[in-house]
Amino acid sequence: MKNLDNVVMAHTGIERTLHVTMAGKNRRRVERRLAESLAAATNLAKGDALVMWLGTGHEATNLEALATWVSNTLKQLNLDANRQAIPHLLAELERTLWAWEDQAWQ
């Protein structure tokens, strides 16, 4: 009976791990789509000029950096990753880019 209990506990642990993993993947997929929407709305340039400003510096493109920025900003603003977050993210992105532009001209 003890072996059966161990198997059931292991199975429950595996299910829980899979659920958490899938939830994380789904969240990253939605964050990427939010980043793509913001990139389209702001005519974000292709290339990597904004990687150091929006991302961590490890991203290869502006879009990847924007996806990192979206993930971090959703957490900072305590927003769910869904389309209702777009206006909040857009306003924050504009503030962020304006701050970068102001610093670039000084």
Side-chain angles (χ1 to χ4, degrees):
M1 197 64 158
K2 188 173 185 178
N3 287 337
L4 182 58
D5 289 341
N6 289 341
V7 169
V8 169
M9 300 246 331
H11 178 72
T12 302
I14 291 169
E15 282 183 339
R16 189 174 303 123
T17 300
L18 286 174
H19 178 71
V20 169
T21 300
M22 293 302 296
K25 285 183 179 184
N26 287 336
R27 181 175 177 86
R28 284 189 299 279
R29 184 178 19 235
V30 172
E31 289 171 352
R32 174 70 180 211
R33 288 182 178 157
L34 288 169
E36 290 169 352
S37 296
L38 292 172
T42 59
N43 293 319
L44 186 73
K46 295 190 187 294
D48 62 0
L50 298 175
V51 166
M52 293 303 291
W53 189 256
L54 295 177
T56 62
H58 300 291
E59 299 84 0
T61 66
N62 288 343
L63 183 58
E64 288 178 18
L66 184 58
T68 298
W69 179 89
V70 164
S71 178
N72 293 335
T73 303
L74 287 170
K75 291 173 191 163
Q76 287 174 353
L77 298 178
N78 199 26
L79 296 171
D80 292 327
N82 57 40
R83 87 174 51 175
Q84 287 77 27
I86 291 174
H88 304 285
L89 290 170
L90 186 56
E92 191 64 29
L93 179 60
E94 288 176 346
R95 277 192 290 277
T96 299
L97 293 176
W98 287 337
W100 177 68
E101 186 176 348
D102 286 346
Q103 287 183 6
W105 285 103
Q106 292 179 5

